[in-house]
Amino acid sequence: MSTSPHQNPAVSPPTSPRRSGGVRGISHHAPTTPSRLRRAIAAGVDPSSPQQDEDKLTPLSSPLLGSMNISAEPEQIASPSEQGIRGGLIEPSQREADARTRLLEDYHKGSVCGTKDCNHGTFSPHARPLDSPSSNVSIVKGFGGRHEDEIDDDDGGTRDRARGRVGDTFAAGLFGGSRRDTSMSTTKWLATKHGVKNQRAMYISYYFPFVNWVRQYQWKWFRGDLVAALTMASFYIPMSLSYASNLGHIPPINGLYSFVFNPFVYAMLGTSPQMVVGPEAAGSLLVGTVVKESVDRNDSDENDAVLNAQVAGVVTGMAGAVILIAGLTRLGFLDSVLSRPFLRGFISAIGFVILVDQLIPELGLAKAAQVGVAHGSSVNKLVFVVKNMGSVHRLTFAVAAISFLIIMMFRTMKRRMQPRYPAVAYVPDRFLVVALSAVLTWRLKLDQKGLEILGHVKSTGNNPFPFHWPFSFTHMKHIRTAMSTSFLIALLGFFESSVAAKSLGEGTHGLQGVSLSPNRELVALGVANLIGGCFMALPAFGGYGRSKVNAATGGTTPMSSIFLSLITLFCVLFLLPYFYYLPKAVLSAMISVVAYSLIEECPHDIKFFWKIKGWTELSLMLIIFLATIFYSLSLGIALGIGLSILALIRHSTKPRIQILGKVPGSPDKFENAEDDPERIEFIEGCLICKIPEPLTFANTGDLKTRLRRLEYYGTNAAHPALPRVRAEEHNQNIIFDVHGVTSIDGSGTQVLTEIVEAYVKRGVRVFFCRLPTRRSKVYKDFEMSGIVDLVGGKDHFVDSVERALRLSELASLTEYFDNRMDGL
């Protein structure tokens, strides 16, 4: 005699998934016989079907199960015997660009992924490839793929770990590989397959862009490149003198060296044709801090130009070595590590420090500030200026103020007029100010009235370009001092270069085969600064403003950088005597304009973060700014980098798991239930957890805690002090949506195994859905770790959340009826 579930206290009704707000339960007909019921439930069919042949039983139908047959394994696209075929895929028809093929239609129905709008592995129609007339490579349809020697059977990665680290360049043989090496890289395989004859030349033209673009150079670009180089020289040659003497505290000629060597080397190796490298205010100021520290420790004298220049060479050489090593080890992604608030706060602080530093020579107080003030903080210098206002040299202040106002006036006029009159960019206003001030000082003998002039500009050796190896043993004490500063110079310089290169892109030139590469940019900048360090030059990196001037005045190719180097070389050899009467106050005024440009964007960023209530970003900017002006640049940088790294670590270690609910009216659409809980259908008896990211040691440490919060509260936002508010029966079925888990490391696998073990011991059913494929490394890790066996086998890995819900309901019904049959 059968009894209803409510009449038998020993057997409780099944905790099957049900949706509140919709149908509260499932509909099923009473079975006729116990044996038929058990076989029908196990087969996934309706036990009340009138057919007598059990092979023809109708599929089980319910509001949750529907009538779709349950498939535990996604349909394979190709049979196992066809998986070794390469390049045999047929492209979709081009007659209708947006037509869906049968394969795409099946994919969107959920046989592979389960999400309609997902582009994971989608074979979608695309434009027909165009054969390039300038290329001798045969273009064919289909995927290129990897060579079989490089494919790991487990994860599709590379079998040769050394090749994976150093890349195809060395493995395939940039300079010729070993004849005994029978392995073939993917690059070499594709090149051979598609008829690339001279593969060594292919690598050489890629890693030495000069070989590529010089063969394409056209005479129509010559005039624009030359005019751009002349315009930049008129602006930045005087600036380099200012950076060296006023910020770097080294001989002025060493600033010119940065424009002799660095642009030329970058033109050979760089990947941004219109970018121009040279000294910058921030890097020059940091070099000056190392020189000051050397003076404070009595390792050198304030007037020892030779030793100070050697210290600067050590800093530049070390910065170049750091950049070069980063490029060779493929660390080009580091340009995304530093946050925008950190950079804005630090750059604004540098601008403020420069303004205060230049205020002292502009007021003619340089000699009085040499004792105890020149090496102090910005606040100390401001206090010194206020106390000595009565000792200001009026002629020096007048020359500096007039020069500053003239440069700012031209700067403002150019900005307003350039959209309508682009030719105003050619006006060399700063060169005119420098030349006019030098002529007036000479004619009016202003130097005899107390106005400080630049004086003799000469090299620190017997020849115009003295060579000095920066890493000699005698400079070990300077190397230790410059270690941290050189790293910061390299980091900031590369970031500024990266911003400039990304803003310029590949330019508007007609060069073919030129592509921007962060790693090759690192190599080019590293080699340029290593060579510059050997000649005691200032650190030189790409500058956005300088590069925009180059592009706006006709610069099209890297030849403009070569012309700039040649013009600077001509100045060093023949024009140095004409800089004798150049007033130092004018150089200080030019640097003050640059400092103002560093600060002027800060209010815009502050307004933006205030508008969006970005208190964390504003606090970071304020901390860096105050630490820099009240103490030192080193402390400001250290705090900024430390806080940025902490924020990055916190972001990367935070699991982003979500609890999902069903969207009403849709058959298979699920969304984050925490965003709009009133709109999302709650499914009783089930906890659907979405893990939208790869699992690594960094983000799995807190995974157990966050899953526990979802079980107890249904949200991660609740404080753990809150008593449990979510009933335990709603966690009887745990469904993990692991569509975003594209990779998992050993630590993540171990933690996930422990989580699954704990669920199984508690009698909780665990399902995994939307795994890309059972041939993936993630699934193989699940198998080897025992997760697959723990949850109940391969049948608990399905291709959609909806199908996992059907399986969980089927398991609940099976358990329920088994208990009933046992109680009969």
Side-chain angles (χ1 to χ4, degrees), residues 754-819:
E754 294 172 355
I755 291 173
V756 173
E757 284 180 348
Y759 282 139
V760 172
K761 288 180 180 179
R762 288 162 45 192
V764 176
R765 290 181 287 270
V766 181
F767 300 89
F768 288 89
C769 64
R770 298 213 303 167
L771 214 65
T773 172
R774 287 186 182 171
R775 296 180 295 274
S776 66
K777 185 178 183 301
V778 176
Y779 184 80
K780 291 184 180 296
D781 286 342
F782 283 5
E783 279 188 320
M784 290 185 292
S785 63
I787 293 178
V788 176
D789 295 332
L790 281 172
V791 300
K794 297 180 179 180
D795 293 343
H796 283 239
F797 288 79
V798 293
D799 54 14
S800 67
V801 178
E802 183 72 13
R803 190 159 294 175
L805 283 173
R806 298 191 191 111
L807 276 180
S808 65
E809 182 177 8
L810 178 61
S812 298
L813 288 173
T814 303
E815 181 180 355
Y816 169 67
F817 286 114
D818 281 343
N819 292 334

Side-chain angles (χ1 to χ4, degrees), residues 540-610:
F541 296 93
Y544 177 72
R546 180 168 50 244
S547 301
K548 290 295 289 183
V549 170
N550 177 41
T553 53
T556 305
T557 70
M559 190 63 74
S560 60
S561 294
I562 296 178
F563 286 152
L564 177 61
S565 295
L566 295 176
I567 294 170
T568 311
L569 175 64
F570 180 80
C571 291
V572 171
L573 295 177
F574 303 106
L575 300 182
L576 289 182
Y578 296 96
F579 293 114
Y580 181 85
Y581 285 100
L582 181 58
K584 289 185 177 181
V586 175
L587 298 179
S588 297
M590 295 175 66
I591 294 179
S592 296
V593 173
V594 175
Y596 175 81
S597 66
L598 296 178
I599 299 175
E600 64 180 344
E601 293 185 7
C602 187
H604 176 270
D605 286 351
I606 292 176
K607 181 179 178 181
F608 175 80
F609 288 122
W610 185 277

Side-chain angles (χ1 to χ4, degrees), residues 26-89:
I26 61 171
S27 300
H28 60 273
H29 298 279
T32 56
T33 63
S35 60
R36 177 179 175 83
L37 171 65
R38 186 175 292 123
R39 288 195 301 269
I41 294 297
V45 296
D46 190 348
S48 62
S49 176
Q51 289 92 342
Q52 299 301 320
D53 187 355
E54 292 184 1
D55 294 336
K56 298 180 181 180
L57 291 175
T58 58
L60 183 65
S61 177
S62 75
L64 283 180
L65 291 176
S67 60
M68 184 180 295
N69 291 328
I70 297 175
S71 173
E73 166 72 328
E75 182 182 353
Q76 291 187 353
I77 296 175
S79 64
S81 61
E82 297 173 338
Q83 292 172 14
I85 300 175
R86 297 179 180 276
L89 293 175

